Amino acid sequence: MEDSNIIPENLSIDENEEVRTSENVVEPSNELCNEVAVTKKRRRMTSFVWGHYEMLPNTKDGKQKCKCKKCGSTYLCDSKNGTGNLRRHLENCKKRSMRDIGQLILQSNTESSMSMSDNKFDHAEFRDLFTASIIMHDLPFQCVEWVGVRALLLYLRKDLQLLSRNTVRSDCKKIFIKEKHNIMEQFSKVTSRVCLTSDLWTSINTDGFIYLTAHYIDNDWVLQKKIINFSFMPSPHDGISIFEKILSLLVEWKIEAKLFSITLDNASANNTSVDYLRNHLNLRSGLLCDSDFFHIRCTAHIVNLVAQEGLKDIDSAIVKIRESIKYVKGSQARKQKFLECVAQSCLDGRRGLRQDVPTRWNSTFIMLDSATYFKRAFQHLELVDSNYKHCPISSEWEKVEQISQFLEPFYEITCLISGSKYPTTNLYFPCISTAYAELKNAMLSSHQSIKRMATGMIVKFEKYWYEFSDILAVAVILDPRYKMTFVEWCYQRLYDSNYKSELRKLRLKLISLSANYSLRRNLSVGESSNTFELVQGCPSKIKSKFMQVFVSNYV
């Protein structure tokens, strides 16, 4: 029989814990005096099971019982029976919740206090999140059928409903349709005009693609940019086909009556498509000021054409530098040998070499800039490597350095105009004046190569930039940093003696644009606004005459 005074080694005794005794027995001892009483104690109750039971009063026969707090079952709980039966009951008790505490998560409510709630798995929400991740990270539809992905998902949850690639594809289409409807709803509510940009690409396998991006200011005065189309463009890519494609997209998105301008590059097919589009929209009175501000040429593309004209003078040196970089990056052994030459030339090898894309002049400029820094390393490589045959000669290196220094302002202009996180319309004329001033100064250079290059560039400049878009000049006028004074200064250098008449035309268009917006918003701004309402229905000759008189008196 178990001795009640023996305590198992795996149990700990808390000296402050209450000691329960069923009886106090006084036994006389032969060795001690009869007055000495010895108290027999029960062992301490340290098992975790006692937290789930309630102790009952002793029965008539002196036995101690306890009752389960959940179901009310009673059991003997003296030292003879131990706690094994109590443990077994807790495992099988039907009224006791056996949920794992790991299934409970802490959630923060609206009052930032912590609460406990069940983490219920929602298969529909998982499906939406998985589809969104495929779109966000540009994953293939078949990723849901990869063995590794399926094993991972099933490890996380055994009853997970796995998807097929056809199901994921249909879910992606549903998300696209939903987002498309949201953007169309935004277009229907916005009160401002929409500006478009578009371009075409041809892939390696000769497939054509067209994109269309909408830029507008929402009702909270936040600049928005939405790509509303990127689709296959079948041949031919002529002006009529581009016009029909863009028009169908405008009708689909219901913004043909809200257009302000469209920006395209200088391809002849784009000029034809814009003419057709302008005539079609003017029939519906969908453009402002008889479409005077509708077509805007891509400034970055024009800068690229002008700079490419200047780079023609050093084509042979550019080809040698391009081939030199290809040679160095051709194998790991060549890279290591070039790095050794860099170290021996006391140069910083962390700058690295940059290879260009021939159709983008700014990448060519970066390549030339990095190559001129490693000029001594390339010359040293020519001495130690007999297979290296493309190193430019000293005169070519000198010419490349001069032209790179001359083209640096054009590179800064390209970076500035190509920004997408800030408005660039008001930067148009400052960039024009900077580029034109650089070309004028280069014409007076003592270096014949720079002078010859500037002559070809200024011809290309005047070819594309003689007819400026007046809306970009208006944007500079509305910029408080420049205003009309800066435009006058630019016109004096761009149009020479004819700048006054061009400046007068600009003022007329500015007034006409203001009148259109005033009438559109039904603003009452005094006598001049009422006068514009009367002029709006007049013939074009009378309207033009009135504008001239108005400008002479008020502008």
Side-chain angles (χ1 to χ4, degrees), residues 438-468:
E438 288 293 330
L439 293 177
K440 288 286 190 180
N441 292 333
M443 292 286 292
L444 304 176
S445 175
S446 59
H447 298 280
Q448 293 300 321
S449 58
I450 298 294
K451 186 175 182 179
R452 183 170 55 255
M453 182 186 64
T455 302
M457 292 177 65
I458 204 167
V459 171
K460 184 72 71 173
F461 178 91
E462 292 176 350
K463 174 184 176 181
Y464 287 105
W465 294 42
Y466 182 78
E467 295 180 358
F468 300 106

Side-chain angles (χ1 to χ4, degrees), residues 523-538:
L523 296 177
S524 177
V525 291
E527 181 180 357
S528 59
S529 177
N530 296 331
T531 307
F532 277 123
E533 291 186 16
L534 297 174
V535 174
Q536 191 66 20
C538 297

Side-chain angles (χ1 to χ4, degrees), residues 234-356:
S235 298
H237 297 167
D238 53 9
I240 297 178
S241 301
I242 297 174
F243 155 70
E244 293 175 349
K245 182 66 175 180
I246 294 178
L247 182 61
S248 64
L249 294 173
L250 298 180
V251 173
E252 179 183 357
W253 286 89
K254 300 179 181 180
I255 56 175
E256 67 273 15
K258 287 190 171 184
L259 293 185
F260 186 88
S261 66
I262 183 170
T263 303
L264 303 167
D265 59 24
N266 296 290
S268 58
N270 287 333
N271 296 333
T272 304
S273 63
V274 167
D275 291 338
Y276 280 108
L277 193 61
R278 179 190 289 112
N279 295 333
H280 180 82
L281 296 177
N282 277 334
L283 294 176
R284 301 185 179 183
S285 300
L287 299 176
L288 290 175
C289 302
D290 296 329
S291 67
D292 289 341
F293 312 120
F294 182 58
H295 184 201
I296 297 179
R297 299 182 183 273
C298 179
T299 305
H301 184 254
I302 295 176
V303 173
N304 180 62
L305 294 176
V306 174
Q308 290 283 9
E309 183 69 24
L311 291 175
K312 289 181 180 179
D313 192 56
I314 56 171
D315 274 347
S316 60
I318 292 176
V319 171
K320 288 183 178 181
I321 291 176
R322 187 179 294 128
E323 294 299 325
S324 297
I325 296 176
K326 289 181 181 179
Y327 178 82
V328 170
K329 294 185 176 182
S331 67
Q332 188 62 34
R334 295 174 185 174
K335 290 181 182 178
Q336 186 62 34
K337 185 175 293 187
F338 180 76
L339 290 176
E340 293 174 0
C341 296
V342 170
Q344 293 177 5
S345 302
C346 300
L347 299 175
D348 185 6
R350 292 176 297 178
R351 289 190 55 169
L353 290 172
R354 302 286 295 274
Q355 194 164 349
D356 70 328

Side-chain angles (χ1 to χ4, degrees), residues 304 308 356-364:
N304 180 62
Q308 290 283 9
D356 70 328
V357 179
T359 56
R360 296 186 176 274
W361 91 270
N362 52 334
S363 66
T364 304

Side-chain angles (χ1 to χ4, degrees), residues 103 119-124 126-127 150-163:
Q103 296 179 354
N119 182 21
K120 296 181 179 179
F121 185 80
D122 190 350
H123 287 276
F126 164 77
R127 184 171 172 175
R150 285 180 173 267
L152 175 63
L153 296 177
L154 290 177
Y155 174 77
L156 296 177
R157 192 171 186 88
K158 299 297 183 182
D159 60 342
L160 184 63
Q161 300 173 3
L162 297 177
L163 308 175

